[in-house]
Amino acid sequence: MADEVILEYLHMEIVNYIYRSSEKPDQDNCLSKLESIGYRIGQSLVERFTKDGTRFKDELDTMKFICKDLWNFVYKKQIDNLRTNHQGVYVLQDNKFRFLTQLSNGKQYMDYAPKLLALPCGLMRGALANLGINSIVTAEVTAMPACKFQIQIQRT
Amino acid sequence: MSRQGTRGVDPRKVNGELFTLTYGALVAQLLRDYEDDDEVNKQLEKMGYNIGVRLIEDFLARNNSSRCNDFRETAEIISKVGFKMYLGITPVVSNWSPAGDEFSLLIENNPLADFVELPPGHNNLNFSNLLCGVLKGALEMVQMDVDVRFVQDQLKGDNITELRLKFLRRLEDAIPVGED
């Protein structure tokens, strides 16, 4: 579908804008800006998704929703692997992450990858927050285009 | 996908909404970064331009369209093929200038502005200014220098959203210095 392309272009341009507009290359600040844009998207997205749905049974049920439905809508596939230690840490592995498929598979763009993952991290955190789960989401790339997202549930 | 039935969401629709929401979040960030609406417009146009110069390649790769004979043909392609393919809408081409070098695209329901209400005090903001940049960038890559701007915007209370395109000149392929 052609309209998927424009989302990818838009995302890349958002990343470029954020880095272009900060006066000195301040990696942390840029990443957190991207994260907060993603957070906002995740929040509103999940609101529209779930308004007619049934209530989630528990945390794991919510996670499954994120891995299956949300992932499918946003990244056009399901998560390849979901693991948890049952103490509030979930690791989601995507073997072919949508926003990384345009980059070369070698090591060349490893430094660039975190920029493309900040917004998706925020998106997930925003989605979870709106479903009543506070969390910290981080991502790492070991080999392109696969990546792992780690979700740490914050219980208070 | 056991849940899909129960959530009752049309994936095709959501795909468009995801784009809309992403764009909305971007504009919100720009409004935080710049106090001046004109500056936000400028940044949006610049981003659109960067998207446009790349999007045209995708466009040409997907379509077997041949070279346009005149600006009228270009207008039709922009509306019926370009907008249709990427945003799922077909703007009405109208208000041609007598010389045939200027026309308007009338947009009834702008997908970029779904769920949007302009906050008070942003009268100069062209929310969808990205579109101007995309069109300008894309057309520049096919040797057309075109001026694109918003004349009316439903977000500002107008009846319709109107984009005005003015053909300025044909660009010649620039040959790098020292090459013949």
Side-chain angles (χ1 to χ4, degrees):
Chain A
M1 244 187 316
D3 48 355
E4 286 169 20
V5 181
I6 53 172
L7 180 71
E8 274 157 39
Y9 281 168
L10 182 67
H11 176 240
M12 273 188 260
E13 203 44 52
I14 291 176
V15 174
N16 288 342
Y17 159 72
I18 295 287
Y19 278 84
R20 197 172 54 213
S21 67
S22 83
E23 274 160 18
K24 53 179 186 334
D26 181 354
Q27 182 88 358
D28 285 346
N29 189 21
C30 289
L31 289 180
S32 86
K33 266 191 184 175
L34 283 170
E35 216 261 0
S36 78
I37 293 178
Y39 186 86
R40 203 184 147 121
I41 301 168
Q43 259 191 328
S44 23
L45 203 60
V46 89
E47 215 160 76
R48 300 199 51 81
F49 270 4
T50 53
K51 68 178 162 41
D52 301 320
T54 44
R55 185 174 280 271
F56 293 108
K57 276 205 312 276
D58 50 23
E59 196 177 279
L60 191 63
D61 196 29
T62 314
M63 279 307 165
K64 283 184 185 160
F65 165 77
I66 298 279
C67 296
K68 282 185 176 175
D69 302 48
L70 189 82
W71 221 261
N72 212 7
F73 288 134
V74 182
Y75 307 113
K76 305 299 153 205
K77 65 191 285 296
Q78 290 187 24
I79 271 287
D80 294 292
N81 191 342
L82 166 66
R83 272 185 296 177
T84 175
N85 66 355
H86 297 287
Q87 283 162 10
V89 177
Y90 294 83
V91 178
L92 285 64
Q93 182 166 342
D94 190 329
N95 293 334
K96 198 169 173 240
F97 189 60
R98 181 177 172 189
F99 289 155
L100 293 179
T101 49
Q102 306 294 334
L103 296 185
S104 147
N105 281 358
K107 296 239 177 265
Q108 194 181 356
Y109 293 106
M110 278 310 219
D111 298 344
Y112 195 76
K115 299 181 186 178
L116 296 176
L117 295 174
L119 190 142
C121 281
L123 195 149
M124 212 182 323
R125 195 168 65 86
L128 283 168
N130 225 1
L131 294 170
I133 298 176
N134 288 326
S135 60
I136 297 173
V137 182
T138 50
E140 62 166 340
V141 179
T142 36
M144 297 270 198
C147 67
K148 273 184 190 160
F149 291 91
Q150 180 167 330
I151 303 174
Q152 269 182 297
I153 309 289
Q154 303 289 294
R155 294 184 223 277
T156 45
Chain B
M1 300 312 307
S2 58
R3 270 198 183 280
Q4 208 163 26
T6 57
R7 306 267 164 218
V9 180
D10 174 9
R12 164 125 200 134
K13 195 164 145 254
V14 168
N15 201 36
E17 286 182 1
L18 177 62
F19 179 73
T20 305
L21 293 171
T22 307
Y23 184 67
L26 165 68
V27 179
Q29 178 66 43
L30 283 166
L31 286 173
R32 267 197 296 275
D33 288 354
Y34 301 98
E35 281 170 19
D36 187 22
D37 286 350
D38 292 332
E39 188 58 34
V40 175
N41 291 340
K42 219 168 85 190
Q43 290 294 337
L44 283 173
E45 177 164 354
K46 192 168 173 184
M47 296 174 77
Y49 179 87
N50 292 342
I51 294 175
V53 297
R54 280 183 290 169
L55 196 64
I56 188 73
E57 305 216 351
D58 183 77
F59 178 84
L60 293 174
R62 277 169 207 270
N63 289 286
N64 239 341
S65 54
S66 54
R67 198 173 280 271
C68 294
N69 291 316
D70 56 12
F71 203 41
R72 282 180 188 270
E73 204 177 322
T74 310
E76 292 296 317
I77 300 272
I78 290 173
S79 158
K80 300 214 170 76
V81 188
F83 269 87
K84 180 87 193 117
M85 189 160 81
Y86 293 110
L87 291 177
I89 53 167
T90 314
V92 176
V93 179
S94 79
N95 300 353
W96 278 97
S97 65
D101 63 345
E102 210 176 329
F103 68 94
S104 294
L105 289 171
L106 303 178
I107 304 172
E108 190 79 56
N109 29 24
N110 176 6
L112 257 55
D114 270 349
F115 327 121
V116 176
E117 258 177 56
L118 281 191
H122 288 287
N123 297 328
N124 288 330
L125 177 68
N126 287 331
F127 185 86
S128 311
N129 221 27
L130 188 91
L131 287 181
C132 296
V134 173
L135 287 169
K136 190 168 170 54
L139 289 170
E140 204 172 295
M141 291 297 116
V142 287
Q143 277 86 43
M144 275 185 270
D145 189 7
V146 177
D147 176 63
V148 191
R149 64 199 160 83
F150 272 95
V151 201
Q152 297 190 73
D153 192 340
Q154 279 167 326
L155 284 178
K156 292 178 184 167
D158 296 319
N159 286 327
I160 198 128
T161 299
E162 178 179 356
L163 265 172
R164 192 89 181 137
L165 282 85
K166 185 176 170 34
F167 180 83
L168 298 176
R169 65 195 171 98
R170 230 192 97 143
L171 297 165
E172 299 297 330
D173 275 333
I175 300 165
V177 183
E179 280 180 43
D180 291 310

